[in-house]
Amino acid sequence: MNLRILTVTTGRILRQLRHDRRTIALLLLVPVVLLTLLYFMFDDQPQVFDRIALVMLGVFPFIIMFLVTSIAMLRERTTGTLERLLTTPLNKVDLLFGYGIAFGIAAAAQAAVASAVAYWLFGLDTQGSPALVILIAVVNAVLGVALGLLCSAFARTEFQAVQFLPVVAFPQIMLCGLFVARDQMVGWLEAISDVLPLSYAVEALQEVGVHTDPTGTMWRDLAIVAGAVIVALVLAAATLRRRTA
Amino acid sequence: MDTAIEVRDLVIERGKRTVLHGFTCTIPRGSVTGLLGPSGSGKTTLMRAIVGVQIVKSGSITVFGEPAGSAPLRHRMGYLTQAPSVYADLTVRENARYFAALYGLGAAEADQAVADVGLKKAAGQLVGTLSGGQRSRASLACAIVGNPDLVILDEPTVGQDPVLRDELWKRFQEMAANGATLLVSSHVMDEAARCERLLLIREGRLIADDTPAAVRASAGTDDLDEAFLRLIRAQGVAA
């Protein structure tokens, strides 16, 4: 890893994003629109809104960054820029971390806007600090980036890349405890839920919902998600080969 | 003659097809070597092997005494892929500055490279909005930025207008005069005459490795196109 190369690569990815105004608008506004729907769906049940909105604040960045990253990385492969980069002093770790940091920054902006709307406009009520919600959302986004980088290795076309979303994201969302509490699932479902990183991210958010101060469980859960990020990035680095056929 | 690239008994398979069959050649330092042959003859595969992104079945390639693709070499090498490999959603200048920065070079070198390929006026334009020829020049700017010691160019002048092509070739020759080693592929024979040495390749085999004058002399014609044809036929008879 080379700090200069990592920095310029992160800057390059952010610059690409900056030229794409429509993507920026979608990144910032879609979560707000969905939160608005949620707010009116549970107009007369503020507790239900609180419970679901809190989890959604962590799930949006995960899904969106997974999609954005898998397409961005696939474009690096199909347009030849990846091959070109691998003939330069750039190390593949610089590229992977560059994506993680750049889209992590984008996710922080997204989470800040969505949280601001949820708290101020829709009166979202949590015992813990909104800053912790944003922190967990960003770690979740980076998880989405890391899994997106890994999955893009198994897709040859953008058609295929998009279809990894239902494979990778949906089971995690279904089993994360949002629809059915994890301890009420049948044993084998709970066991699956136990090995999916998003379950821990959701649990961390729920901890922020009911405790004024950050709890040990929350930090442990956050550490587990961060560990999953590292594992996914290491696997992504292993699937990124300098030499190809 | 000081050797920059040494390729020995290189065998490369892509899928079930053998693309290079025990290919051997040397490329001298500080010169422009032309790699000529029809499409599908193995030019791009050979170039990918030299820059170290191609899986090699057997044989060896050394560049400046180091194995091809090794980390120290990657600081000294510029590579132009056949299809432009620049970011369509960045401007020409941003692309050049990014690639320059990967080599530890500054904005001045990047802007110089953009000017060298005749894109000074389009520097602030997004690459995605450029014409095909301009886009490949943007890619070329990123390959020659900072005058690397080794420059591998896969069909750099396709689709460029004659005046510009002439300027680009002068630029390549100037880089070689300053000590750089250039390997330039083309399937246009009139460009062959501008190289100091020629490698003629067909169906993954080396047909000739000589100066343009010597190729003409050995084939007994002044026309390089015709010379290439005669050399192929002579090979066919010999085989």
Side-chain angles (χ1 to χ4, degrees):
Chain A
M1 191 140 87
N2 176 315
L3 197 61
R4 173 178 54 79
I5 291 179
L6 175 64
T7 312
V8 297
T9 301
T10 306
R12 183 266 293 176
I13 296 164
L14 286 173
R15 218 162 279 131
Q16 284 180 283
L17 199 57
R18 204 186 63 198
H19 283 296
D20 188 352
R21 301 263 168 81
R22 195 172 300 180
T23 292
I24 295 178
L26 287 169
L27 280 179
L28 296 181
L29 294 179
V30 170
V32 172
V33 172
L34 295 176
L35 280 170
T36 310
L37 288 180
L38 203 62
Y39 177 73
F40 287 106
M41 277 165 69
F42 299 104
D43 208 6
D44 48 356
Q45 294 165 278
Q47 294 88 348
V48 180
F49 173 77
D50 283 352
R51 186 172 68 84
I52 300 179
L54 178 61
V55 172
M56 292 317 274
L57 285 176
V59 171
F60 291 142
F62 170 74
I63 297 177
I64 293 172
M65 292 305 156
F66 175 83
L67 260 184
V68 169
T69 312
S70 41
I71 299 288
M73 191 61 190
L74 197 78
R75 269 168 41 181
E76 293 259 20
R77 285 176 202 275
T78 53
T79 60
T81 48
L82 179 65
E83 176 167 309
R84 174 74 183 87
L85 287 178
L86 292 176
T87 67
T88 72
L90 170 135
N91 190 299
K92 52 192 178 180
V93 177
D94 299 323
L95 183 66
L96 296 174
F97 277 65
Y99 270 108
I101 297 170
F103 288 145
I105 291 170
Q110 182 186 51
V113 171
S115 302
V117 169
Y119 278 95
W120 288 328
L121 209 58
F122 299 144
L124 173 65
D125 190 20
T126 56
Q127 294 295 313
S129 156
L132 288 173
V133 174
I134 294 177
L135 172 69
I136 297 168
V138 170
V139 175
N140 254 354
V142 177
L143 176 68
V145 170
L147 290 174
L149 289 171
L150 175 59
C151 288
S152 78
F154 302 101
R156 284 177 186 277
T157 64
E158 293 180 356
F159 265 176
Q160 294 173 2
V162 171
Q163 306 203 51
F164 277 107
L165 182 73
V167 176
V168 174
F170 284 15
Q172 300 208 59
I173 295 167
M174 288 159 73
L175 299 178
C176 73
L178 178 63
F179 300 105
V180 181
R182 297 201 317 121
D183 53 11
Q184 284 164 24
M185 291 174 187
V186 291
W188 62 275
L189 271 187
E190 196 183 350
I192 296 175
S193 172
D194 282 347
V195 296
L196 298 177
L198 199 64
S199 306
Y200 297 92
V202 168
E203 189 181 57
L205 285 165
Q206 288 165 341
E207 290 285 300
V208 178
V210 296
H211 297 284
T212 322
D213 292 314
T215 61
T217 309
M218 189 211 84
W219 289 121
R220 185 212 62 180
D221 288 344
L222 208 52
I224 291 173
V225 179
V229 169
I230 302 289
V231 171
L233 283 178
V234 168
L235 290 175
T239 55
L240 192 61
R241 295 299 167 88
R242 192 176 299 281
R243 287 180 188 271
T244 52
Chain B
M1 187 176 76
D2 200 0
T3 301
I5 305 172
E6 186 157 15
V7 180
R8 288 227 161 275
D9 305 319
L10 187 65
V11 178
I12 292 177
E13 290 176 353
R14 298 189 84 174
K16 289 198 171 124
R17 209 166 67 89
T18 304
V19 182
L20 294 177
H21 315 257
F23 196 93
T24 297
C25 69
T26 56
I27 291 164
R29 202 184 277 247
S31 68
V32 182
T33 300
L35 179 60
L36 289 115
S39 55
S41 56
K43 302 190 295 291
T44 297
T45 304
L46 178 62
M47 290 183 143
R48 292 183 77 235
I50 291 170
V51 299
V53 296
Q54 172 68 49
I55 294 175
V56 167
K57 179 135 192 286
S58 64
S60 72
I61 308 171
T62 49
V63 179
F64 302 136
E66 312 243 15
S70 62
L73 285 177
R74 281 188 267 122
H75 291 269
R76 308 171 61 184
M77 176 171 75
Y79 171 42
L80 174 76
T81 53
Q82 196 168 20
S85 53
V86 275
Y87 297 97
D89 44 5
L90 289 181
T91 66
V92 175
R93 187 185 292 121
E94 286 169 337
N95 267 293
R97 288 188 180 180
Y98 174 56
F99 281 99
L102 293 178
Y103 296 95
L105 303 167
E109 282 102 334
D111 295 347
Q112 182 59 50
V114 170
D116 285 347
V117 299
L119 283 178
K120 202 169 182 177
K121 278 186 195 150
Q125 225 176 306
L126 288 181
V127 166
T129 66
L130 298 176
S131 73
Q134 287 176 316
R135 200 184 287 218
S136 47
R137 273 185 282 147
S139 194
L140 178 61
C142 298
I144 62 171
V145 66
N147 299 312
D149 295 334
L150 177 68
V151 184
I152 307 290
L153 304 175
D154 199 352
E155 309 215 333
T157 58
V158 171
Q160 306 298 349
D161 89 271
V163 178
L164 202 77
R165 241 169 57 182
D166 187 56
E167 280 169 18
L168 290 176
W169 273 99
K170 282 189 180 132
R171 179 79 179 79
F172 301 159
Q173 280 154 351
E174 185 190 301
M175 288 170 81
N178 290 327
T181 303
L182 287 86
L183 180 64
V184 183
S185 79
S186 177
H187 51 240
V188 190
M189 286 298 159
D190 67 346
E191 296 196 327
R194 295 171 178 268
C195 301
E196 281 159 66
R197 288 194 76 82
L198 293 180
L199 298 172
L200 299 185
I201 174 173
R202 188 166 183 271
E203 289 173 356
R205 291 190 171 85
L206 190 64
I207 290 181
D209 173 5
D210 225 322
T211 62
V215 169
R216 286 194 191 99
S218 73
T221 169
D222 269 352
D223 180 0
L224 275 171
D225 241 330
E226 177 62 25
F228 198 4
L229 265 176
R230 288 189 192 178
L231 287 169
I232 291 167
R233 293 210 179 101
Q235 281 249 321
V237 172

